[in-house]
């Protein structure tokens, strides 16, 4: 799992919308699906919650949902905690710093958005999915969004052009090019399907696709 600290944590929210095509739409689609499948009272596990932006959006769509927000970056969670306090949401949120322990929670749905491409496929991706599985009730959904391996020769270049159009600087573009080659660990669909099967999830169904990023939903078996 990545650990965003200090300036990276402080500027995360202002940068991410320039780096992920359809970022806001992705979150709107997640919210619509949760409003469709969840009961009036439900507990939502957010893995890699960062500054808690998903909570701020989802909490206002249903006043009875509660949240478990997990991240390995204490700096990100400090910002999240302040955001929850400012929004009057602290009593509805459990903050979990560090990796999830097996079976610690029993959530009604899990979100893992824009996290797994930071995690190497050396057993760490499988361990992450397994930890989500053990903290999710049987038969409940995992909504996963991630950077995937490119499916066309021009996909990565199109991503970068879109980022520039969204306001990414030339320096930011060069950093992104480097990260795409050296810092990220995207999967293709076949490998993702293998990992989901190994960790006890159903086959995934796509609900979002924007250049190199995909959003998928699957069920905890």
């Amino acid at each position: 799992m990545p650990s965003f600290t200090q300036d990276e944590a402080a500027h995360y929210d202002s940068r991410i919308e320039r780096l992920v095509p359809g970022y806001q739409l992705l979150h709107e689609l997640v919210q619509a699906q949760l409003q469709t499948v969840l009961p009036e009272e439900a507990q939502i596990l957010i893995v890699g919650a960062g500054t808690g932006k998903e909570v701020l959006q989802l909490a206002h769509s249903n006043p009875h949902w509660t949240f478990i927000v997990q991240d390995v970056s204490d700096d990100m969670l400090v910002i999240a905690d302040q955001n929850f306090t400012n929004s009057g949401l602290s009593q509805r949120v459990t903050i979990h710093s560090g990796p999830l322990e097996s079976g610690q929670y029993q959530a009604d749905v899990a979100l893992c958005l824009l996290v797994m491409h930071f995690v190497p496929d050396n057993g760490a991706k499988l361990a992450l999915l397994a930890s989500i599985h053990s903290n999710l009730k049987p038969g409940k959904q995992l909504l996963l969004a991630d950077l995937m391996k490119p499916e066309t020769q021009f996909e990565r270049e199109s991503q970068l052009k879109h980022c520039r159009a969204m306001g990414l600087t030339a320096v930011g573009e060069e950093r992104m090019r480097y990260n795409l080659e050296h810092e990220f660990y995207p999967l293709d669909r076949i490998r993702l399907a293998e990992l989901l099967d190994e960790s006890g999830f159903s086959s995934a169904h796509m609900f979002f696709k924007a250049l190199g990023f995909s959003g998928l939903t699957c069920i905890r078996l």
Side-chain angles (χ1 to χ4, degrees):
M1 295 276 286
S3 181
F4 293 94
T5 57
Q6 299 179 357
D7 285 348
E8 286 184 323
H11 296 112
Y12 178 84
D13 285 337
S14 64
R15 293 183 67 248
I16 190 64
E17 292 192 22
R18 297 195 295 269
L19 298 177
V20 179
Y23 179 81
Q24 188 57 42
L25 175 60
L26 168 64
H27 285 81
E28 290 169 1
L29 295 176
V30 168
Q31 179 176 335
Q33 290 187 86
L34 297 191
Q35 289 174 318
T36 302
V37 303
L38 288 181
E40 188 70 13
E41 295 186 2
Q43 187 173 64
I44 300 170
L45 169 63
I46 303 179
V47 177
T51 62
K53 189 171 183 178
E54 289 97 343
V55 172
L56 302 182
Q57 184 171 352
L58 294 171
H60 292 297
S61 69
N62 186 307
H64 303 293
W65 287 344
T66 58
F67 304 87
I68 304 158
V69 298
Q70 178 274 342
D71 208 284
V72 297
S73 169
D74 288 335
D75 287 351
M76 293 282 259
L77 290 177
V78 166
I79 296 171
D81 191 24
Q82 187 62 58
N83 287 337
F84 303 149
T85 298
N86 294 343
S87 301
L89 299 173
S90 295
Q91 291 186 334
R92 294 168 60 187
V93 180
T94 299
I95 294 177
H96 182 106
S97 177
L100 292 169
E101 298 177 18
S102 179
Q104 188 169 4
Y105 306 105
Q106 286 293 289
D108 297 293
V109 71
L111 309 181
C112 186
L113 307 179
L114 308 174
V115 173
M116 272 195 28
H117 61 270
F118 292 105
V119 180
D121 189 16
N122 58 1
K125 285 186 191 290
L126 180 60
L128 174 60
L129 288 170
S131 73
I132 296 172
H133 182 278
S134 74
N135 283 278
L136 185 61
K137 293 177 182 177
K140 300 302 182 180
Q141 283 187 305
L142 165 63
L143 278 72
L144 178 69
D146 210 29
L147 176 72
M148 304 293 288
K149 283 189 175 179
E151 297 183 358
T152 68
Q153 291 183 336
F154 57 81
E155 190 171 72
R156 285 289 187 258
E157 197 60 36
S158 298
Q159 272 183 253
L160 292 163
K161 289 186 182 300
H162 177 81
C163 291
R164 287 301 298 272
M166 293 297 292
L168 188 68
T169 64
V171 172
E173 180 183 350
E174 287 307 308
R175 180 180 178 185
M176 187 64 172
R177 286 183 185 277
Y178 179 86
N179 288 344
L180 286 167
E181 290 294 327
H182 303 287
E183 299 293 334
F184 298 157
Y185 307 92
L187 300 172
D188 59 30
R189 293 187 190 183
I190 294 175
R191 180 58 181 151
L192 176 59
E194 291 173 348
L195 289 171
L196 289 173
D197 180 65
E198 262 191 274
S199 55
F201 287 97
S202 70
S203 298
H205 298 280
M206 187 178 295
F207 68 87
F208 171 84
K209 180 76 171 75
L211 294 175
F213 291 89
S214 295
L216 307 108
T217 180
C218 57
I219 303 295
R220 189 250 203 230
L221 300 176

